[in-house]
Amino acid sequence: MMDYQDFLGLFGGVKMRDSNRAMCQCPCHPDKKASLSIDKIGNKILLHCFAGCKSEDILAAVGLTFSDLFDHPREQSYIEKLEKRRGQRIAAIYKYTDENGNYLYEKIRFQNKDMLMGVYAQETESFHYRLSGNHKTLFHLPQLCKAVSAGKKIFYVEGEKDVLTLESLGLDATTAGSANDWKSSYASYFKNADVVILPDYDEPGQALAARVSKDLEGLAKSVKIINTSTIPKGDVSDYIQDGHTKEDLLRLIENAESKNQKNTKSSIDDSLELTAMENAEEKELEWLIPHYIPKRSITTMAGDGGSGKTSIWCEIAASISMGRPCFLIKESIAEPTQQYHGQNVLFFSAEDSFEYTLKRRLRKNGSNLANIFSISISDDRFQHIRFDSDFLEKLIAKYRPVLVIFDPLQAFVPPYFKMCDRNAMRTYMRPLIGLGEKYNCTFLIIVHSNKQSGLWSRKRIADSADIWDISRSVLMVGETRERGIRYISHEKCNYGVTGDTVLFSLDDEKIIFREYTHKKDREFITEVDYSVRQAPLREEAKEFILDFLKNGQKEVSEMDETAKAMGIKEKTLRRAKEDLKKDERIKIFSQGFRPKKWYAVRISPDDKG
């Protein structure tokens, strides 16, 4: 049996957090940051590597086994009893105390991330699931109070693991636990403090950040919300595990604060300055593609899957890259002084890879490929492409494109956004307007159309009415009753009458202009037999479910809301779920308790095995 201090002597880079808690370098991976937590709990020593190394591998690396982690022979401890009862090893124990360090209760996290909360009775070495009158409080409360008194910056995070991650960097942090554990009464502990909230990148995390920030108004000296991750459910621990340092984190916060202070100063200095219309500059409207796509604004193109949306934007990108007329018009899309010079285009596609599909289509449509730029969906940087991200602005500033294409819109919306909520998409898409004015670029956004029958124009755009409202021009794409002939109907134009509808066909992935017509989307829709072409059948519902879950698990309620917005009937959706579960292609399960939430996730072939 080994003494705790002797055990710590087997590891390098030991940093004591208190007499029974230490951070060390993990022997199972190159570790320069001391990412191994070693805590003494009663007569047991607990290990947890924040890089994910297994405890048995760590012990084997220093020539030990689990039996060496006890100070002396004894009867089975409450920890072992809990592990046996749950069939899971304990990953960490988080002790909560009052301001004076008196023990109140503890949370036990198992390796499968299940949590237990209760009180440990040392006299009987037993665990009681009730708090016995002890009130919930903040994690590491004494350290928080001391740091606030010393005027240090305080970090509020979601979960004890993130607190330990920040403390290992020498920073002061606290949490109430999960996103649902925060109470308004906790705000008093942050009086006159500079607080930085580092939320998880999901809907509950973002909602928590907004709630904490609101409760701290008038109490804290300052409050900042900083997202350290853009991966679904990502947190500050993920940020550090990805290789970022303490200095990187502080620089991220400093840059965000500087940007915020600059914007705040500007808004205060100019808040009373208005422009008299006699002094306002009057400008002529400019078009990227005359009558169809106005410059420096958002144009949306919507249509069913397979209607030719991707081929259309590939032809438009090819025309701009070459400085030649687009198939929609006969005039040149470039300014007279630039008509013989191609211009840059950026595109971001989450549905087709440029290696296997898009480069070929761009080439066949006559592109100058040297003027067209993108990022592969397999590139880790792709996840940082968001309408409000600094990364997107940096790309636009570097390449100075006249057109930026997003295909489809849904892939670039953060996972915590509910697109069907009123004004949510309008707020999220608004930064594109500023980028268009600042960098003289235009945005073309591709959107899937609604599958509900009997709808046309505005109502065919799926997920959100905001998409139509914020777009200055809207194009609807579909198929006519004539075999192989498709249409582009100009349904909205804020700057004049809409352009004529263009009929086209595809020949070896190239767009072939056919003719103009005055017919609009409504007339084409009513001509087509929707009972055959666009009824929300079960197979279409299955395709929707699998596509909705392609990036990981989602709440069933959110999936149901989106399906309803896309016109898929409740009965059809329910049967599609049953078929997919029967075929072991999806799994539906619940998490939590009061409230219990239901989630759905795709099952990969490897999972079946």
Side-chain angles (χ1 to χ4, degrees):
M1 308 304 170
M2 179 166 286
D3 177 75
Y4 179 60
Q5 293 299 325
D6 292 338
F7 182 74
L8 292 178
L10 299 174
F11 300 88
V14 178
K15 298 178 182 178
M16 300 300 299
R17 292 183 289 177
D18 57 42
S19 60
N20 293 319
R21 300 165 60 240
M23 296 297 298
C24 311
Q25 293 174 334
C26 177
C28 290
H29 74 276
D31 190 5
K32 298 180 181 180
K33 302 177 183 178
S35 60
L36 174 62
S37 170
I38 303 180
D39 297 345
K40 181 181 179 183
I41 309 295
N43 294 320
K44 190 172 183 179
I45 298 175
L46 293 182
L47 308 178
H48 176 68
C49 177
F50 287 94
C53 300
K54 294 182 179 180
S55 297
E56 49 264 41
D57 295 336
I58 297 171
L59 291 172
V62 294
L64 299 177
T65 64
F66 278 111
S67 62
D68 297 302
L69 300 188
F70 302 102
D71 287 344
H72 53 76
R74 79 236 184 295
E75 295 181 358
Q76 190 178 49
S77 70
Y78 84 100
I79 293 177
E80 292 173 305
K81 292 177 182 177
L82 287 174
E83 289 180 334
K84 184 177 181 180
R85 187 179 307 157
R86 299 296 293 260
Q88 283 285 331
R89 288 193 177 277
I90 292 175
I93 296 179
Y94 307 119
K95 294 183 180 293
Y96 281 71
T97 69
D98 63 18
E99 298 176 43
N100 299 316
N102 299 313
Y103 175 83
L104 295 176
Y105 60 92
E106 60 192 54
K107 293 182 182 179
I108 298 176
R109 182 167 64 86
F110 293 87
Q111 288 183 342
N112 66 351
K113 297 187 178 180
D114 282 352
M115 296 286 289
L116 283 180
M117 183 167 61
V119 177
Y120 167 59
Q122 188 172 8
E123 303 79 15
T124 58
E125 198 167 303
S126 58
F127 186 80
H128 303 279
Y129 293 94
R130 296 183 179 180
L131 298 189
S132 302
N134 293 330
H135 297 292
K136 291 183 180 179
T137 189
L138 294 169
F139 188 52
H140 288 180
L141 184 57
Q143 296 93 317
L144 169 65
C145 295
K146 183 178 179 180
V148 171
S149 298
K152 295 183 178 180
K153 190 185 296 291
I154 306 298
F155 292 85
Y156 187 86
V157 293
E158 182 184 335
E160 296 84 359
K161 181 186 72 171
D162 290 345
V163 172
L164 299 182
T165 295
L166 293 173
E167 287 181 345
S168 71
L169 301 177
L171 302 173
D172 296 283
T174 190
T175 184
S178 72
N180 297 320
D181 289 332
W182 169 263
K183 295 182 179 180
S184 298
S185 58
Y186 297 154
S188 60
Y189 290 112
F190 299 87
K191 188 174 182 179
N192 298 324
D194 290 308
V195 182
V196 177
I197 303 171
L198 305 178
D200 288 6
Y201 197 68
D202 56 15
E203 184 179 350
Q206 300 297 310
L208 170 66
R211 191 164 66 250
V212 174
S213 177
K214 182 177 180 180
D215 287 342
L216 294 184
E217 287 181 6
L219 284 172
K221 181 179 179 181
S222 67
V223 181
K224 310 293 181 185
I225 300 176
I226 308 293
N227 283 303
T228 55
S229 177
T230 56
I231 61 174
K233 300 184 182 298
D235 55 30
V236 67
S237 293
D238 296 318
Y239 177 81
I240 297 301
Q241 290 175 21
D242 285 343
H244 294 97
T245 64
K246 173 183 177 180
E247 289 69 28
D248 293 333
L249 176 61
L250 295 178
R251 192 178 304 113
L252 175 67
I253 296 169
E254 181 180 356
N255 290 340
E257 289 177 341
S258 297
K259 183 177 181 180
N260 185 71
Q261 289 168 1
K262 181 179 178 181
N263 293 339
T264 301
K265 184 177 185 299
S266 175
S267 64
I268 293 174
D269 290 346
D270 302 334
S271 60
L272 299 180
E273 295 296 324
L274 303 180
T275 300
M277 287 301 97
E278 65 177 355
N279 300 323
E281 181 182 1
E282 188 173 341
K283 297 181 179 180
E284 291 291 329
L285 174 66
E286 296 179 272
W287 296 89
L288 184 66
I289 300 180
H291 311 301
Y292 292 95
I293 300 181
K295 280 189 174 182
R296 294 181 288 277
S297 60
I298 299 171
T299 292
T300 293
M301 180 166 63
D304 301 337
S307 60
K309 300 188 299 294
T310 302
S311 296
I312 292 170
W313 72 250
C314 281
E315 202 288 335
I316 293 173
S319 299
I320 293 174
S321 72
M322 293 295 295
R324 60 170 169 77
C326 168
F327 83 103
L328 292 172
I329 57 170
K330 296 180 180 179
E331 296 84 14
S332 173
I333 62 173
E335 298 296 333
T337 57
Q338 299 175 316
Q339 70 180 81
Y340 300 109
H341 300 282
Q343 301 171 82
N344 286 352
V345 177
L346 297 186
F347 75 84
F348 305 101
S349 174
E351 293 192 339
D352 296 296
S353 70
F354 57 68
E355 297 94 336
Y356 293 100
T357 303
L358 297 176
K359 181 178 179 179
R360 182 182 68 249
R361 291 190 184 182
L362 289 165
R363 174 177 54 78
K364 287 184 176 181
N365 280 282
S367 300
N368 179 354
L369 297 175
N371 289 344
I372 302 179
F373 303 87
S374 186
I375 294 177
S376 172
I377 192 173
S378 61
D379 191 315
D380 290 340
R381 296 175 300 164
F382 192 90
Q383 65 187 358
H384 299 296
I385 302 297
R386 295 285 187 268
F387 297 161
D388 57 351
S389 71
D390 291 336
F391 182 53
L392 175 62
E393 181 171 359
K394 289 176 181 178
L395 291 174
I396 293 174
K398 177 178 180 180
Y399 292 96
R400 295 287 174 166
V402 298
L403 178 64
V404 182
I405 302 166
F406 299 94
D407 184 11
L409 165 69
Q410 290 84 346
F412 303 95
V413 176
Y416 57 85
F417 253 82
K418 288 188 176 181
M419 294 179 64
C420 54
D421 286 353
R422 184 63 179 163
N423 293 323
M425 286 306 301
R426 182 190 293 268
T427 301
Y428 179 62
M429 294 172 68
R430 190 173 292 126
L432 296 183
I433 300 174
L435 292 175
E437 292 290 340
K438 183 176 182 180
Y439 296 103
N440 194 32
C441 65
T442 302
F443 298 94
L444 177 60
I445 298 177
I446 312 304
V447 180
H448 294 307
S449 62
N450 200 312
K451 293 184 178 296
Q452 188 171 347
S453 61
L455 300 180
W456 52 81
S457 195
R458 178 191 184 104
K459 293 183 179 179
R460 283 187 67 207
I461 295 183
D463 298 327
S464 173
D466 290 344
I467 300 170
W468 174 283
D469 293 339
I470 200 170
S471 300
R472 301 298 87 185
S473 178
V474 177
L475 305 169
M476 300 300 299
V477 182
E479 299 180 62
T480 70
R481 289 196 301 174
E482 185 178 351
R483 184 179 179 85
I485 303 299
R486 305 155 193 248
Y487 67 87
I488 306 174
S489 177
H490 195 194
E491 294 292 310
K492 176 187 176 181
C493 181
N494 281 66
Y495 305 117
V497 297
T498 57
D500 288 337
T501 296
V502 175
L503 299 182
F504 70 98
S505 61
L506 294 175
D507 181 12
D508 190 28
E509 300 183 315
K510 293 186 294 184
I511 295 286
I512 307 297
F513 172 85
R514 294 295 182 178
E515 61 178 319
Y516 291 111
T517 178
H518 294 300
K519 293 168 66 173
K520 291 295 185 180
D521 187 52
R522 176 177 180 174
E523 295 165 276
F524 287 110
I525 291 296
T526 54
E527 288 178 351
V528 176
D529 184 2
Y530 264 74
S531 64
V532 175
R533 191 178 70 86
Q534 232 182 7
L537 302 176
R538 197 182 307 181
E539 288 303 316
E540 292 178 325
K542 290 181 185 179
E543 292 176 6
F544 159 77
I545 293 171
L546 294 174
D547 182 69
F548 189 82
L549 300 176
K550 65 183 179 182
N551 292 323
Q553 73 178 42
K554 296 286 185 66
E555 280 192 50
V556 172
S557 61
E558 182 181 355
M559 180 170 67
D560 292 348
E561 290 176 7
T562 305
K564 183 178 180 181
M566 295 184 68
I568 299 176
K569 294 182 179 179
E570 181 179 354
K571 185 176 181 180
T572 302
L573 185 67
R574 183 174 67 251
R575 290 179 175 177
K577 291 178 188 175
E578 292 171 354
D579 287 351
L580 291 173
K581 287 193 293 183
K582 184 178 180 181
D583 294 338
E584 296 184 342
R585 300 182 70 185
I586 68 169
K587 180 174 68 174
I588 296 179
F589 58 97
S590 65
Q591 288 185 352
F593 179 72
R594 292 183 182 178
K596 178 188 291 186
K597 291 188 177 182
W598 289 90
Y599 294 85
V601 66
R602 288 177 61 164
I603 300 176
S604 68
D606 293 338
D607 293 334
K608 293 181 182 180

